Amino acid sequence: MATQRPPEPPTPPPGQGEGPSGEQLSEAAVIAMHSDPRFLALKKSLFRFIVPMSLAFMAWYLLYVLMSAFGRDIMGTVLFGSVNVALVFGILQFVSTFGIAILYTSYARRKLDAPAIELRDELQNSTAGKEDGR
């Protein structure tokens, strides 16, 4: 029987939690960034997309599940050949998932990426500046 070693703390991926020259970001700088109005606006902008889109997708999925459970006659309606409404609903679930991913990518590129990069750079540079004695 193999002996169990105590788990080692996880190591972050390279570049995570580090400043531009590899030094760790200070906890105070990270906490201060969380109360920055620009960071709060960025979070609000993110949630402005995520919450409605998540609710819409969950409603769409719930409709699919409920129709499969209670609307068997409608879901069993043959549209053509051996394709019925249930199959179309199932395929549309995949289509909507990819559609949401594409919409999010576009939204993030337009609204989120530039402010996030600006805040990250400011956080990393403020840490580097403090260590240089500035």
Side-chain angles (χ1 to χ4, degrees), residues 29-77:
V30 173
I31 291 171
M33 184 59 72
H34 280 267
S35 62
D36 188 304
R38 295 168 301 158
F39 180 77
L40 296 174
L42 183 63
K43 279 178 45 176
K44 185 177 181 180
S45 184
L46 174 66
F47 285 119
R48 196 175 297 136
F49 180 89
I50 289 176
V51 171
M53 197 59 66
S54 297
L55 291 174
F57 183 80
M58 289 304 292
W60 162 233
Y61 179 72
L62 186 61
L63 173 69
Y64 175 59
V65 170
L66 291 174
M67 290 296 291
S68 294
F70 302 111
R72 291 189 176 270
D73 293 339
I74 296 171
M75 296 296 267
T77 303

